[in-house]
Structures are given as C-alpha cells and as structure tokens.
Amino acid sequence: MEIFQTGDYQEAASYIAERIQGSPKTGVILGSGLGTLADQIEDPVVIPYADIPHFVRSTATGHKGNFVCGRLGGKWILAMQGRFHYYEGYSMLQVTFPVRVMRLLGVENLLVSNAAGGINTTFKVGDLMIIRDHINMMPNPLIGPNNEDFGTRFPDMTRAYDRDLIRYAEEIAQKRSIPLKKGVYVGLTGPSFETPSEYAFYGKVGGDAIGMSTVPEVIVARHARMRVFGMSVITNEGYHFADDFVNDGADVITAANKAATIMTQVFTDLIQKI
C-alpha cells in the first residue's frame, strides 16, 4: 500500500499555491454530472489533476479532472471538478489525497456533492438531499499509520456533518422556496449498481440514499478538523423496480445535470454565509 508522507502533500499544495489567487477557506468537491458548478466560478484558474504532483487521474464518467480556483459568492474557493473513487482501483490514500492538500492550503470548510440512488420511498429523481449522517461500507481511509500532522488517531464522527452548515442550508432553501430532503447517505465501493435486495437492506438499516463516494473524503476532512457539508442529488429511485428497469450510468449523469443549477444556488449562498 502506498503511504504518503506530509512532504508529498506539501509538494502538491505548493504547486497549487503558486498558481492560484486569494486564500480560499472553502473547498468544494463536485460529483458525477455536477461539475457545471465550476462554470459559475469567476476569474477561474484551472489546474488539471495530471499536472499536480502525486495526484492520480479521474476516470469516472462526468468527472473533468480539474482543480478550479476562483470566486463564488464573492469568496475565494477551491473546487474539485471531479473526484477519485476506490472502484477506479486507487487506494483510499489516493482517493482522499486532495482533501489533505486543501487543508494545507488553508481550507477550513469542505462542501461535498454526489449523485446518489434514492432508497427512501419518499424521494424522487431530481430531489436534493442534505446529508445529515452516513453509513460507511468502504475501507476506512485512516487505516494504517496515523499522520499526526493532520489529526488524532481516533477522530470523533458523532457530528461528521456540521450542524450549523446544515441549518444555514435549510434557511437558504426556505428563503428561496427550494424543497430539500435530509437523510443518511450509504457509501459502498461499487462499481456495480446495487441489487434490489441490497437497496431494500440498506433502507431497513437507516439509509436514505446510496452511492460510491463522499464518505472517505468526509472522514479524512473531519480527521483534519474541517467543517463538512454534504448534499446528494437523487438520480434514480432505488426502491421502484418495474419489469423493464435497469440502472444506467448515463441516466445518472442526465439527472444530476438537471439538478446542478439548483444545487449551485444553494452552494453559492452557503459559501457567502460561511
């Protein structure tokens, strides 16, 4: 297993710091089909992942593979236009490498988004769900030697998703008449979509939406004492299986794209407030 030293993270952070403006305090990770939020960033500086030391390449559909730095909501931010996944064959340290790099760059708040399957029977395609908690069914990214430069050996996950940020998002949605759901995100490795029985199982144990990302990034962010806010776009209904139903990756991207505009508004207002 590849082990990164603090110097590796610092090398990547230094490369980015030499090319960006401002002092971003907020980082944003954009999931499948949600990279269009980066198009709203003003005065953008685009850095391909392939150019950054120790970064791997994003191979997932709908992930452009760029770091974008600029202003959103009047504040400087760092946005990941696409993320890395365990199912791509990367280690958990590689998947979460950018989170620690952002922390070294001064990022204190991390906003994460994803496309997810709805397993709560009240959820419909296109709904936005605030993540209030998660169920981790992936290898924990903190397994192995603890890097004391970032955090403690046993970080608390009681409030993995910041309650103040959740409250701010709910206030924003109410003010703008944007309907939001709130629920528990289940993180699985993928890359196969879940069976009907798996959807039913994770619903019975408390899950509301299910996907293949986000949780490792949140764990590493909390380990590094970053505040986290998460939002899922419900891109398919994992509880409704007609005879001709199949999960399709292209449909996921299409549904995410339709909801991206609304999510961009929520994120922009939230960035203004924090």
Side-chain angles (χ1 to χ4, degrees):
M1 181 179 69
E2 184 174 9
I3 302 294
F4 292 112
Q5 304 300 321
T6 301
D8 298 325
Y9 297 106
Q10 290 174 335
E11 184 181 359
S14 296
Y15 181 90
I16 296 169
E18 292 172 358
R19 288 157 178 79
I20 65 175
Q21 304 178 62
S23 300
K25 298 299 181 185
T26 298
V28 183
I29 300 179
L30 301 168
S32 299
L34 300 170
T36 54
L37 183 148
D39 297 335
Q40 305 302 314
I41 295 175
E42 300 174 351
D43 304 319
V45 174
V46 180
I47 307 173
Y49 295 156
D51 295 346
I52 305 172
H54 308 292
F55 266 57
V56 293
R57 295 175 183 267
S58 181
T59 66
T61 302
H63 293 247
K64 293 186 178 181
N66 297 315
F67 243 128
V68 183
C69 180
R71 288 182 291 111
L72 187 67
K75 294 187 177 181
W76 291 100
I77 70 163
L78 273 175
M80 289 184 65
Q81 204 172 20
R83 56 159 51 92
F84 310 127
H85 302 81
Y86 187 64
Y87 68 70
E88 294 175 80
Y90 298 131
S91 71
M92 279 298 179
L93 286 177
Q94 290 173 314
V95 168
T96 58
F97 187 88
V99 176
R100 285 178 166 168
V101 171
M102 284 193 281
R103 188 70 184 98
L104 290 177
L105 288 166
V107 170
E108 300 172 354
N109 310 296
L110 184 66
L111 312 185
V112 294
S113 68
N114 60 55
I119 50 181
N120 184 315
T121 57
T122 69
F123 288 4
K124 303 297 182 184
V125 171
D127 282 348
L128 296 178
M129 184 193 84
I130 293 174
I131 303 174
R132 66 172 182 82
D133 204 353
H134 67 233
I135 297 172
N136 182 29
M137 300 302 296
M138 305 186 202
N140 193 299
L142 301 180
I143 290 173
N146 184 54
N147 191 324
E148 296 288 341
D149 293 326
F150 289 100
T152 182
R153 169 79 280 187
F154 301 106
D156 179 48
M157 290 289 150
T158 308
R159 288 172 289 279
Y161 300 85
D162 190 86
R163 292 178 181 178
D164 286 338
L165 297 183
I166 290 174
R167 177 168 53 84
Y168 295 157
E170 290 175 325
E171 291 171 356
I172 290 165
Q174 183 177 21
K175 181 179 178 180
R176 292 190 173 275
S177 299
I178 297 172
L180 292 181
K181 305 291 187 179
K182 187 161 64 174
V184 176
Y185 177 86
V186 183
L188 275 69
T189 64
S192 56
F193 286 111
E194 297 73 33
T195 68
S197 294
E198 287 171 332
Y199 279 122
F201 172 78
Y202 287 110
K204 289 179 180 177
V205 298
D208 294 291
I210 197 164
M212 307 171 191
S213 67
T214 302
V215 175
E217 298 153 350
V218 172
I219 291 173
V220 168
R222 292 301 302 135
H223 178 253
R225 302 173 302 283
M226 299 166 74
R227 294 201 301 170
V228 175
F229 174 80
M231 179 170 282
S232 296
V233 176
I234 304 304
T235 52
N236 60 290
E237 297 167 2
Y239 55 84
H240 176 69
F241 295 96
D243 290 340
D244 60 349
F245 175 85
V246 292
N247 269 312
D248 183 270
D251 291 341
V252 168
I253 302 300
T254 299
N257 281 332
K258 289 180 179 179
T261 301
I262 301 173
M263 192 196 74
T264 296
Q265 185 64 72
V266 175
F267 272 35
T268 300
D269 287 359
L270 185 57
I271 289 167
Q272 286 178 328
K273 194 172 181 65
I274 58 179

